[in-house]
Every structure is written in C-alpha cells, then in structure tokens.
Amino acid sequence: MKKLIGCVVVALLLTLGLLSGPAAAKKLVVAVDTAFVPFEFRDPKTGEYTGFDIDLWAAIAEELGVEYELQPMDFAGIVPALQTGSIDAALAGITITSAREKVVDFSHPYYDSGLTLMVRSDNEEIKGPEDVAGKRIAVRTGTTSDNHAPSLNPSEIIKFPNIEQAYMELRTGRVDVAMHDTPNVLYYITTAGEGAVKAVGPRMQAQSYGIGFPLGSKLRNDVNVAFLELVENGRYAKIYRKWFGQDPSPR
C-alpha cells in the first residue's frame, strides 16, 4: 500500500510540475526544422537527421541525462508549437528577437549569424543591399529575412515555405536575388551552388540563434547550465569545427 501511495504522490507532483531535474525526467519532444543546412537536414545515406543543431542537442541531452525524440516540422509552425506547449524545446536556427521573446523563452545564444544576399553568378548589377530596390527578392516565410526584406524596397517579395525553393527560383531567373541566414547561404553556395550563384554585400542584421522553450519552462535553466559546461570543456568548439571548419568566436 505504501508503495502504491508513493507512486500516486510522485505522479501527482509530476503532473503539477513540482519536480525538476532527473527526478522529473521524461522523453522530451524537441522540434527541429525539416531542412536548414548545415544545422539540421536528412543524411542522404542514412535518412537520419544530422547537422550542427542535432549534434549540439545530443551533447546537451547527454549532459542532462535525458531522453528525447526529434520532431521535424516546418519552421513557421515551431514558435506556435512552443506557445501551445506541444513540444518541450526547439532548435532550428531560431533568431532571438524581441517579438519572439514575448511569446517563448530562449536559451543563451549558441550561434552568431546574420543575413546574406545571394544572386546568380553572372549578375553584376546587384552588389549589395542598396541594389535590391526595385528588384524581385525571394525569402522564406516567417523568418527574419521575411521581416527584413521590405526595408530593402524590392518591387516584389516572393515567399516560400522552404528556402531551397527560393534558391531554385533564383537559379531559374524568376527572381533577382534571394536572402537568408548567412551560414545557410554560404553552405548552399559551397555544397550545392555548382558555381551558378554567389554571395554579395556585407552580412546584415547581426543576430543570434537560441534554443526555444515554452514560456516558464523549467528546462531552460538546466539547458543553459549544460550548454555552458559544453563551452567550458571544449565540446561545443569541437562540434562547431566539425560543421563550420573553424573555431567559434570566444564566449
């Protein structure tokens, strides 16, 4: 009977969220983008998700001693999913902005990014953001590129649910320029651009990526501690070098 009562008490405490840490361990649901190279994407050989975000979360989970399952989902649906609490955390190159910080919680910044323009290699007309005025620009829906594009005064903003569609639209000549997060643009040019596209102009809108949580999540502080431990023991730098070929900026 005592054992039964104990189980009931623990279950009640878990339900009320009064336990934290390993005692409250459950299988976490962690959202990632469906395709955002080199942060998360399917390995064509194994079909498994891989990338910087995937490796970073695996290391954090190991530090915390928690189990988790990845839930790939469209980027536009990630913040709403955090708001409803249907997922426990999300890594998807999510830029920390004041608007998002009002509706979700963020971890310490784990990657410094920005926005970069990409044009076809034979385009000598667009050399930077000042040349986008009056041109057709492609962006991904719901991203900081989507928010920033109107400030460049393009003739039309074409929005796509997947950034690869935006890049293809550029290569086929249906838009003049595409804009997205700097590491994704540079990775695409290097690995899939086939010499057909190039980056132009300076990096814009310096921004940082953070791990997202539902507002008030007890998990955030534990993740922050684990992340800082990874930075201090050199494991974060090792993961960073694996995907970007260089050391991260000092933290």
Side-chain angles (χ1 to χ4, degrees):
M1 178 61 74
K2 288 182 179 179
K3 184 177 181 180
L4 175 61
I5 293 174
C7 291
V8 171
V9 171
V10 169
L12 179 60
L13 290 173
L14 287 171
T15 301
L16 296 175
L18 298 179
L19 291 181
S20 62
K26 66 171 186 175
K27 194 167 188 177
L28 302 174
V29 178
V30 181
V32 295
D33 199 352
T34 53
F36 182 52
V37 295
F39 292 87
E40 48 258 333
F41 58 99
R42 283 191 185 277
D43 185 318
K45 295 180 180 178
T46 66
E48 300 293 327
Y49 270 86
T50 186
F52 178 75
D53 282 353
I54 306 300
D55 285 355
L56 178 61
W57 180 259
I60 289 172
E62 186 176 325
E63 290 283 335
L64 296 177
V66 297
E67 296 184 347
Y68 65 96
E69 60 176 319
L70 297 177
Q71 182 170 312
M73 58 193 305
D74 186 83
F75 184 84
I78 289 178
V79 169
L82 289 169
Q83 289 179 269
T84 62
S86 59
I87 56 177
D88 297 296
L91 295 86
I94 307 173
T95 300
I96 301 173
T97 66
S98 59
R100 289 172 178 159
E101 189 81 66
K102 292 177 182 176
V103 295
V104 301
D105 283 339
F106 281 106
S107 69
H108 294 317
Y110 69 87
Y111 185 89
D112 296 325
S113 183
L115 303 178
T116 292
L117 297 171
M118 183 168 70
V119 299
R120 290 183 295 281
S121 295
D122 60 358
N123 186 322
E124 299 298 332
E125 187 177 3
I126 300 176
K127 294 182 170 61
E130 65 278 5
D131 301 320
V132 176
K135 303 294 191 300
R136 289 162 54 90
I137 187 170
V139 298
R140 185 177 184 186
T141 304
T143 62
T144 48
S145 298
D146 186 355
N147 297 333
H148 184 61
S151 69
L152 303 180
N153 300 312
S155 61
E156 188 175 3
I157 301 172
I158 315 298
K159 303 179 182 182
F160 296 91
N162 189 303
I163 192 59
E164 279 68 30
Q165 293 175 267
Y167 293 163
M168 186 56 64
E169 200 78 350
L170 172 66
R171 294 182 65 167
T172 56
R174 288 191 284 270
V175 298
D176 302 297
V177 57
M179 180 169 63
H180 199 45
D181 293 29
T182 299
N184 182 265
V185 169
L186 299 181
Y187 191 84
Y188 177 85
I189 291 172
T190 301
T191 62
E194 300 176 321
V197 287
K198 63 182 179 182
V200 293
R203 187 174 70 171
M204 302 170 286
Q205 298 287 299
Q207 54 191 234
S208 297
Y209 295 163
I211 301 171
F213 305 93
L215 279 177
S217 170
K218 294 182 174 64
L219 182 62
R220 180 174 68 163
N221 189 60
D222 291 339
V223 168
N224 278 336
V225 172
F227 171 72
L228 293 176
E229 289 173 347
L230 294 176
V231 172
E232 292 163 1
N233 65 25
R235 196 170 174 190
Y236 170 81
K238 184 178 180 180
I239 296 171
Y240 193 101
R241 284 194 295 270
K242 172 183 175 182
W243 290 103
F244 304 111
Q246 59 186 7
D247 289 329
S249 301
R251 291 179 179 273

